[in-house]
Amino acid sequence: MAQEFINGKWIQIVGGFRVYDSCCDSIRDQSLLLAGNPRYANVLIERDYRCANKELQHAGYATDPQYADKLIRIIEGSELTRFDQIEEERGDMMSSDDNQ
């Protein structure tokens, strides 16, 4: 069961959910969904996590009108942006290696 926000009200939805053999399989499937569906194109090109979350909500990924704000609070509350900085540094190092 899941809750969906439809026509201004929370309702219970009974539906099937996918079951994965591993967390990696789940993440892979999620990535394929976002990369393969043109309605999420603006999410994928966004570099700022706040804007990306708002684009995800705008694209209709979730019915919760507070979805983007909730994700942003989780990211900031768990200090997940520290991983973005590591990736940016790694990307910068790879760029400088290419120039040598």
Side-chain angles (χ1 to χ4, degrees), residues 12-46:
Q12 294 287 335
I13 301 289
V14 177
F17 290 90
R18 292 184 182 182
V19 177
Y20 299 95
D21 291 331
S22 69
C23 183
C24 286
D25 288 345
S26 173
I27 292 169
R28 183 180 304 110
D29 193 40
Q30 176 73 4
S31 299
L32 291 172
L33 169 72
L34 295 175
N37 191 322
R39 83 188 216 185
Y40 300 118
N42 288 339
V43 178
L44 299 178
I45 62 172
E46 188 55 63

